[in-house]
Amino acid sequence: MKPHVGVIASYDFTREAELRRWFPAGVEHTLTFTGRVPYRDNLELVSRLGSPDLLAEPTRELVEHGAQAVAYLCTACTFVDGVAGDRALRKAMTDHGAPRALTTSSAVTAALRAVGARRVAVVHPYQHPVDRRLSAYLEASGFDVVARTPLGLDTVENVYGVAEQDVLDKVLSGDHPDADAVFISCTALPTYDAIAHLEERTGKPVISANQATAWALLGAVGEGALGPGQRLVSLPGSVRPPSPL
């Protein structure tokens, strides 16, 4: 029987084709979405999507399809309420039947630890105060945020039009000499083809939200992610994500 992983994405997720590039052919994967939520601004959107109750139905759906591990693929939704909020989301998934559960934020911190990072430069698309909550989450998880570079978007919706070159430019300008690694936050950003190039240019690991989630989710079922030239997925086989809930 093939390993089977499940992904719950926020209803507005648009990077499914890119996400699938990290999954090897020998792993089955099922993607489902949260319900839509009303919102007036970035903080209200991610706060509503960060409600554990929102994960009940999609988790049960994935478990019925045979998922052996489930990930909630949304960065801000999983860090907005801090470490405790992230833990509550993972507990909600296991309470509704997921054998193992993780979130994008918990996967990112695991990935940063795996590449030996302690000081992190962050590139993100968020508005205030969501960007500050990202820093607070990372710092509470044991990291020092040495730089925080926004993409400079006027509205939440503009994130869907960000091009890979925009990501490349912001990472190169947002890197900091004191950073051990760069984290590209937000599952809406295109990063698969950019990571190896950025790591070569910066000389340090570059972790993206979708990459870390795929790596941790596949690691939860004993599999490795695909990503030529990407340091995280090229780690020795003995280096695995910590066991999810």
Side-chain angles (χ1 to χ4, degrees):
M1 178 184 297
K2 289 184 178 180
H4 189 156
V5 297
V7 176
I8 303 169
S10 59
Y11 71 88
D12 54 352
F13 179 63
T14 61
R15 297 290 174 187
E16 180 178 357
E18 177 168 295
L19 178 68
R20 291 179 184 274
R21 296 177 69 184
W22 276 288
F23 293 128
V27 177
E28 292 186 34
H29 46 276
T30 304
L31 177 69
T32 190
F33 298 89
T34 68
R36 299 183 70 88
V37 298
Y39 65 94
R40 290 165 295 184
D41 55 35
N42 193 193
L43 178 60
E44 185 173 21
L45 172 62
V46 298
S47 296
R48 287 181 179 273
L49 287 172
S51 170
D53 293 342
L54 204 64
L55 302 182
E57 184 176 343
T59 299
R60 287 193 292 263
E61 177 186 340
L62 292 174
V63 172
E64 288 173 2
H65 277 86
Q68 298 161 324
V70 176
Y72 186 20
L73 182 74
C74 185
T75 323
C77 318
T78 57
F79 69 63
V80 67
D81 289 324
V83 173
D86 178 73
R87 188 180 302 115
L89 290 167
R90 288 181 281 142
K91 183 177 185 301
M93 288 185 279
T94 57
D95 286 348
H96 290 288
R100 291 175 289 279
L102 57 95
T103 65
T104 294
S105 292
S106 62
V108 166
T109 56
L112 289 170
R113 292 187 188 102
V115 298
R118 290 294 179 268
R119 298 177 300 278
V120 184
V122 177
V123 172
H124 68 84
Y126 312 122
Q127 300 166 329
H128 300 306
V130 176
D131 59 341
R132 292 192 291 271
R133 297 209 182 186
L134 171 56
S135 292
Y137 177 87
L138 290 173
E139 288 164 0
S141 300
F143 300 96
D144 181 13
V145 178
V146 297
R148 193 174 63 198
T149 304
L151 288 172
L153 306 181
D154 294 330
T155 67
V156 176
E157 290 76 15
N158 285 346
V159 71
Y160 308 118
V162 173
E164 185 180 278
Q165 188 62 49
D166 297 327
V167 176
L168 283 163
D169 292 343
K170 282 296 182 182
V171 170
L172 292 174
S173 64
D175 185 21
H176 191 282
D178 292 339
D180 302 317
V182 180
F183 168 46
I184 307 170
S185 188
C186 189
T187 60
L189 298 178
T191 60
Y192 188 94
D193 292 315
I195 292 172
H197 175 69
L198 287 167
E199 290 183 329
E200 183 177 356
R201 289 284 302 275
T202 63
K204 62 188 66 172
V206 174
I207 304 297
S208 81
N210 287 330
Q211 176 208 42
T213 307
W215 168 80
L217 183 60
L218 290 163
V221 295
E223 297 290 332
L226 303 177
Q230 298 177 16
R231 294 196 192 186
L232 177 65
V233 303
S234 300
L235 292 172
S238 58
V239 179
R240 293 292 185 190
S243 298
L245 290 178

